[in-house]
Amino acid sequence: MTSPQPGQHMAAEIAAQPSIFSSLYASRSSIAEVANVIRERAPRFVLFAARGSSDHAAIYAKYLTEILLQLPAGLVSASTTTLYGAEPDLRDVLLITVSQSGGSPDLLEVTASYRRRGALTVAVTNTPESPLNAAAELSVDVAAGVEHAVAATKTYSATLLALYLLIDAVRGGNGEAAASLGDLAQVTLDQSTPTVEEAVRRYRFVDRVLTTGRGYSYATALEASLKLAETSYLAARAYSGADLLHGPVAAVDGETAVLAITSLGKGGDSLLDALEVVNQRGADVVAVGSASEKVPSALSIAIPETAEEVAPVLEILPVQRLAHGLALARGGDPDSPRGLNKVTRTL
């Protein structure tokens, strides 16, 4: 029997994303049914509970909620429930728990507790039969299929799309901005290959990477940092472009690699000042996004233009390829990072 090649699962799962996006968009009516219930209940505040890559998807959804729905939104600190037993009044609150596996004990406890105390609870997961789905009142299926690589790729991007379709439907939208994401994802993967390979060559021997983005793209910067850390064991840190100028930029020098996520729109425009500063400090900047060719950088990895609110679904694709390529170039196996399991159980 032939032994699996290092990274073959992650590579296959990255390549599967265009078809997953198209299928998820085609089945958006089931997500719209959940959105109808949310709209009828008219929550006044939205909270998200998540861990790891799902936490980055939740941060993306927080931006969507505050901008598209004009509702205040926040992230749950699970330990306030699981360790400290806090019992706030949760009437008129919507809790969306995001978990690819739906099996983390702390997220289950938070969801069950919030539901008992009056919150409308929604599970967004890639495992329809998971305990999380049973704990929540409503559920959204990410429908990405089984993911074999430890590092999340297709489940992360499909979760982004599912959250966009849900929140857009709550405001009465039809998901129009996401209609072509399947085709555009394939274009992104095909056209970015040469520049991603060049980025692998540039970053192969680097020890320290800083990732940055603003607005919707901040979630991509966070996920990029995690992917580089868990697959290539790099010392990677993510900062909002605004926070970067409030101190961390002092640590940037000619030995620093900077991965900048910049797509057309207000977030990308507002990142320009920070990128000018890191360039002046001699950092090696690789820019990813539909605005990447407009910013000062050593290398630009362009993606097709979309509405700003769905750009993160495409932005992450070349970053995943970069993480995969760097892991292999540095002698690792991105399918099985050391010390990690597919399901992480926290209390």
Side-chain angles (χ1 to χ4, degrees), residues 10-313:
M10 186 176 178
E13 287 158 5
I14 292 171
Q17 290 171 105
S19 62
I20 291 170
F21 297 166
S22 295
S23 296
L24 187 56
Y25 180 78
S27 63
R28 65 193 182 281
S29 60
S30 61
I31 298 177
E33 292 174 5
V34 175
N36 288 338
V37 177
I38 294 172
R39 191 163 54 248
E40 289 169 2
R41 295 278 286 270
R44 291 295 305 137
F45 198 96
V46 183
L47 290 171
F48 294 91
R51 294 288 191 193
S53 287
S54 293
D55 197 42
H56 305 154
I59 288 171
Y60 164 69
K62 180 179 180 294
Y63 277 87
L64 290 173
T65 301
E66 293 180 356
I67 297 168
L68 302 187
L69 299 184
Q70 300 285 294
L71 287 176
L75 302 176
V76 169
S77 298
S79 63
T80 61
T81 296
T82 61
L83 298 184
Y84 296 97
E87 296 186 357
D89 183 350
L90 296 169
R91 289 171 294 179
D92 298 326
V93 169
L94 168 65
L95 173 73
I96 300 178
T97 305
V98 187
S99 172
Q100 291 148 16
S101 69
S104 184
D106 57 347
L107 296 181
L108 289 174
E109 184 174 341
V110 165
T111 304
S113 175
Y114 274 47
R115 185 175 180 178
R116 287 194 304 269
R117 287 182 279 127
L120 172 61
T121 53
V122 179
V124 178
T125 175
N126 192 48
T127 312
E129 68 280 8
S130 70
L132 179 61
N133 281 37
E137 184 174 342
L138 302 169
S139 62
V140 170
D141 184 5
V142 169
V146 176
E147 194 169 53
H148 296 285
V150 170
T153 53
K154 65 179 183 176
T155 54
Y156 173 73
S157 59
T159 299
L160 295 183
L161 179 53
L163 287 165
Y164 169 75
L165 292 172
L166 176 65
I167 292 167
D168 180 65
V170 171
R171 69 166 174 170
N174 61 3
E176 182 179 3
S180 60
L181 286 181
D183 292 337
L184 294 178
Q186 192 61 61
V187 171
T188 299
L189 290 172
D190 291 344
Q191 293 187 352
S192 66
T193 297
T195 44
V196 168
E197 290 174 351
E198 174 59 24
V200 169
R201 289 190 288 270
R202 295 186 75 90
Y203 281 2
R204 180 176 179 178
F205 298 108
V206 77
D207 293 319
R208 196 159 46 103
V209 178
L210 183 152
T211 66
T212 187
R214 285 206 74 184
Y216 296 111
S217 296
Y218 176 48
T220 310
L222 289 165
E223 179 64 9
S225 177
L226 175 61
K227 282 292 156 289
L228 293 171
E230 69 181 345
T231 60
S232 299
Y233 316 138
L234 289 168
R237 290 290 302 272
Y239 294 99
S240 157
D243 289 335
L244 181 60
L245 296 179
H246 282 267
V249 73
V252 174
D253 56 25
E255 301 298 315
T256 309
V258 175
L259 186 65
I261 312 300
T262 174
S263 286
L264 294 166
K266 294 179 180 179
D269 290 345
S270 67
L271 191 62
L272 288 174
D273 289 345
L275 293 182
E276 288 286 356
V277 173
V278 298
N279 263 284
Q280 291 169 9
R281 297 188 63 83
D284 189 274
V285 179
V286 172
V288 177
S290 57
S292 61
E293 295 176 347
K294 297 185 176 183
V295 304
S297 63
L299 183 65
S300 168
I301 303 176
I303 66 168
E305 181 179 355
T306 63
E308 185 179 5
E309 60 263 30
V310 297
V313 181

